[in-house]
Amino acid sequence: MSHIVIVGGGFAGVWSAAAAARVRGDGAALRITVVTPDEDLVLRPRLHRLDPQASRVPLRRVLAPVGVEHLRAKVTEIDPERSRVVAGGRAVGYDRLVLASGSRLVRPGLPGAERLFDVDTAEGTARLAARLAGLGRFTAVVVGAGFTGLEVATELAGRGDVVLVERAGVVGPELGPEPRPAIESALAELGVKVRLGVGLSAVDDREAVLTDGGRVPADVVVWTAGVRASALTAQIPAARDELGRLEVDRRLRVSGNVFAAGDVAAAEADAGRRVLQCCQHAIPMGKVAGHNAAADLLGLPLTDFAPDPYVTCLDLGAAGAVTTTGWDRRIRLTGVEAKEVKDRILGLIHPPVDDAKLILEAAGTPGTGVR
Ligand SMILES: Cc1cc2nc3c(=O)[nH]c(=O)nc-3n(C[C@H](O)[C@H](O)[C@H](O)COP(=O)(O)OP(=O)(O)OC[C@H]3O[C@@H](n4cnc5c(N)ncnc54)[C@H](O)[C@@H]3O)c2cc1C
């Protein structure tokens, strides 16, 4: 029996599996296995709200109803020449591979780095939430004023004194000029102090030391800067971009019988842009890669990846949110109205569970349903 192996149980992996199961239907002899050590799909866009339990969806409730196996193991080796991966010390052969092993925050090598907190994983968020729970009103330094740093800083602002540190000369350097005034006024409204043009050089249990020599009292220092694709991408002989992502074609094929989706894949989005490492792209990429892996094996037509137009929804804690459309991020909504959109998105990224019909239907709709 032919075998599709999907490495990773995040958005891309789960939706690859469901889409492959949809193509298989009832008749075809096709085995589909998701390999990941995790028991849960982690809804990473919820993690900044510091409720890690609400960010977990048991994988068995999405995979089992649609007849997808789950091998609970970490992949340590990919051998494309022999079409096999090594997981938990055991070789697993594949006819098609979908690499969907995602991304991880890169931790800096600075004195005290082991004291840094993060919201990159459910475990990281649980550790931060547990630390804050014991503190009452706290002081926090958040390093990096990109998307994640802004969301964490504004979330923490209601509960403590927050300093946001950014190496660039502006907040949200990658978000562009359009949403910046809305972000700046939210930070001011929430009392978040901003230190621009400086980085972090060391951390101890009472303070953060900045690159200009300044010292900021901090019960917690949260690191948010720099995300890279899973190191497994290096085991596939193909071109990679500066984030370590594999170059893929419109069908999300890397080459031969290997596909890639989500944060490990540098696919073309629209308007000549590459996808971003976001679930807005990871979900539809997963659906296309899984569909194509199964269609390729069954001799059916393959489909192109063509994502919905790019949108952003940045959470700004008690100051609401800001939603934008397009790559130049034209503001659509701010404040309470934008917050309602954010809350809706955080609900919509939760996949249907337990019901095969709903899961397979959702796997067949392009996009995230998040618009
Ligand atoms: C705090 C935060 C906020 C975010 N907010 C947003 C947002 O508002 N909007 C948005 O669109 N995106 C947001 N993102 C980004 C989004 O979460 C990611 O783009 C998305 O999770 C990528 O999905 P993925 O399936 O490619 O990878 P991941 O979610 O990283 O999942 C990868 C999976 O692969 C598994 N894996 C890794 N290595 C191995 C291995 N060796 N063997 C087996 N399995 C392995 C992992 O355990 C995991 O199950 C946010 C991310 C964070 C951290």
Side-chain angles (χ1 to χ4, degrees):
M1 192 189 297
S2 297
H3 192 197
I4 298 178
V5 168
I6 297 161
V7 180
F11 292 106
V14 161
W15 285 113
S16 286
R22 186 169 185 277
V23 173
R24 172 180 62 184
D26 290 333
L30 179 58
R31 196 175 153 210
I32 305 165
T33 305
V34 167
V35 187
T36 179
D38 310 325
E39 284 191 25
D40 301 312
L41 160 67
V42 176
L43 308 174
R44 291 170 79 198
R46 294 192 68 109
L47 291 176
H48 69 282
R49 293 211 172 161
L50 301 187
D51 183 0
Q53 221 32 52
S55 307
R56 290 178 177 276
V57 182
L59 281 169
R60 71 182 148 70
R61 297 185 63 187
V62 191
L63 302 181
V66 297
V68 171
E69 296 171 39
H70 178 190
L71 173 58
R72 200 156 297 143
K74 182 175 175 179
V75 171
T76 47
E77 195 185 323
I78 300 176
D79 182 350
E81 278 201 5
R82 289 150 87 184
S83 293
R84 57 174 224 178
V85 300
V86 176
R90 182 175 128 201
V92 181
Y94 61 78
D95 297 285
R96 294 293 178 277
L97 177 73
V98 179
L99 186 65
S101 47
S103 61
R104 279 294 168 263
L105 184 69
V106 182
R107 286 173 157 268
L110 50 78
E114 70 285 355
R115 295 177 191 277
L116 292 170
F117 289 86
D118 66 75
V119 291
D120 193 50
T121 60
E123 293 75 16
T125 301
R127 196 174 141 251
L128 175 59
R131 167 81 174 127
L132 295 179
L135 284 178
R137 188 146 186 102
F138 55 81
T139 52
V141 168
V142 175
V143 187
F147 196 94
T148 301
L150 287 166
E151 289 199 328
V152 183
T154 51
E155 183 71 27
L156 293 178
R159 316 192 220 165
D161 298 319
V162 181
V163 177
L164 180 60
V165 172
E166 167 59 51
R167 250 186 201 291
V170 291
V171 293
E174 280 151 24
L175 295 172
E178 175 85 12
R180 193 161 298 134
I183 295 168
E184 287 168 343
S185 76
L187 293 170
E189 178 188 329
L190 297 171
V192 174
K193 294 197 180 73
V194 180
R195 298 286 310 271
L196 297 172
V198 283
L200 182 70
S201 63
V203 189
D204 66 23
D205 56 358
R206 297 206 345 246
E207 61 185 10
V209 184
L210 306 186
T211 48
D212 64 357
R215 292 170 177 268
V216 184
D219 296 308
V220 293
V221 180
V222 185
W223 180 264
T224 71
V227 167
R228 256 190 97 72
S230 146
L232 285 179
T233 54
Q235 298 198 25
I236 301 199
R240 290 183 295 147
D241 73 358
E242 68 289 351
L243 298 172
R245 303 184 298 177
L246 290 161
E247 310 252 339
V248 290
D249 67 15
R250 300 288 308 160
R251 273 105 189 252
L252 306 186
R253 194 194 296 266
V254 182
S255 66
N257 57 1
V258 178
F259 293 80
D263 284 3
V264 292
E268 228 175 84
D270 57 330
R273 301 283 190 141
R274 288 245 165 119
V275 289
L276 298 181
Q277 287 177 307
C278 64
C279 67
Q280 186 185 148
H281 288 143
I283 293 172
M285 285 169 98
K287 292 176 185 177
V288 169
H291 174 100
N292 285 347
D296 208 24
L297 278 170
L298 299 175
L300 299 169
L302 271 60
T303 183
D304 280 355
F305 172 64
D308 291 338
Y310 180 63
V311 296
T312 312
C313 189
L314 176 71
D315 212 346
L316 291 169
V322 56
T323 68
T324 68
T325 50
W327 293 97
D328 52 354
R329 297 195 173 85
R330 298 273 145 209
I331 291 195
R332 202 171 63 172
L333 296 171
T334 55
V336 178
E337 281 180 300
K339 188 76 166 189
E340 282 168 14
V341 173
K342 185 75 184 184
D343 291 344
R344 205 160 62 239
I345 291 172
L346 293 183
L348 281 168
I349 59 172
H350 193 302
V353 292
D354 302 330
D355 184 325
K357 188 165 172 284
L358 287 182
I359 297 165
L360 294 176
E361 251 171 41
T365 52
T368 50
V370 176
R371 291 301 308 285

